[in-house]
Amino acid sequence: YRLHRELRRTCAQYRVDLPPRMAQRIVDLEDIFTRPQIDSLTNLCGDLGKSKDIFVYIVTIDDYFPDTNITSFSNRNREWWGQRGSYDKGNVLIAVSTANREMRISTSDVSMKFLSDEKCTEINSVIISHFKDGKFFEGLVAGLNEIKKNL
């Protein structure tokens, strides 16, 4: 992904359209998690998929290019990196940028029927309360548990 982003930024004359598809539940482009933390988050997201029939994945990102904000980045990549049609309750992307001090829960058209904006705002509050103390892993674990409770 990083290589694709830099090629697109620096070699505009070459046509590089779509970013590579991601198959992981955790895409830690900011390198904020340890391997055991990634494994733990992967397991939690996988458990949500099995028990609640929803594909939840997490991306940490330091630079939104070619997008200008976390909302555009999340909306553009949510379906492309998510699992199309594999889960009855759709895709949920949790995008985190510690560099920009932003996070967003982005729901697909299907998953927003199960996770409303109000519920996502509540989940954001739970996550952000941990993020303020620099506890990113703990915040995401708490957020994933809140998603599980709300489905």
Side-chain angles (χ1 to χ4, degrees):
Y1 177 81
R2 288 179 183 151
L3 174 62
H4 176 269
R5 180 179 64 198
E6 289 308 310
L7 284 172
R8 192 163 180 194
R9 182 191 329 258
T10 59
C11 301
Q13 70 271 26
Y14 297 106
R15 193 123 181 111
V16 183
D17 290 330
L18 295 173
R21 297 251 351 195
M22 301 291 182
Q24 300 98 341
R25 297 271 189 171
I26 310 302
V27 182
D28 185 17
L29 297 172
E30 284 192 296
D31 297 322
I32 61 174
F33 300 119
T34 64
R35 182 79 247 165
Q37 289 174 331
I38 290 171
D39 292 343
S40 180
L41 291 170
T42 299
N43 288 336
L44 286 170
C45 289
D47 290 345
L48 273 170
K50 290 176 190 164
S51 66
K52 301 295 182 175
D53 204 24
I54 191 166
F55 187 78
V56 178
Y57 65 109
I58 299 166
V59 176
T60 66
I61 186 77
D62 57 348
D63 183 358
Y64 307 131
F65 185 84
D67 302 299
T68 57
N69 59 54
I70 198 165
T71 301
S72 298
F73 172 84
S74 299
N75 290 338
R76 185 172 57 84
N77 289 303
R78 179 190 58 242
E79 298 305 316
W80 179 250
W81 287 350
Q83 298 293 312
R84 294 187 182 134
S86 301
Y87 292 85
D88 289 342
K89 293 182 182 170
N91 295 316
V92 175
L93 165 61
I94 302 174
V96 176
S97 176
T98 60
N100 297 308
R101 298 180 53 89
E102 294 181 303
M103 73 145 303
R104 177 175 175 79
I105 298 175
S106 183
T107 55
S108 64
D109 292 339
V110 174
S111 62
M112 72 174 51
K113 296 173 187 171
F114 304 98
L115 285 174
S116 66
D117 287 344
E118 295 80 25
K119 286 181 182 179
C120 287
T121 299
E122 292 170 18
I123 296 164
N124 277 343
S125 296
V126 169
I127 295 171
I128 290 170
S129 68
H130 293 276
F131 280 16
K132 287 180 180 178
D133 297 326
K135 297 179 179 178
F136 303 107
F137 171 73
E138 292 83 356
L140 289 169
V141 168
L144 291 170
N145 288 330
E146 284 297 310
I147 289 172
K148 189 173 187 173
K149 281 188 221 174
N150 283 285
L151 287 175

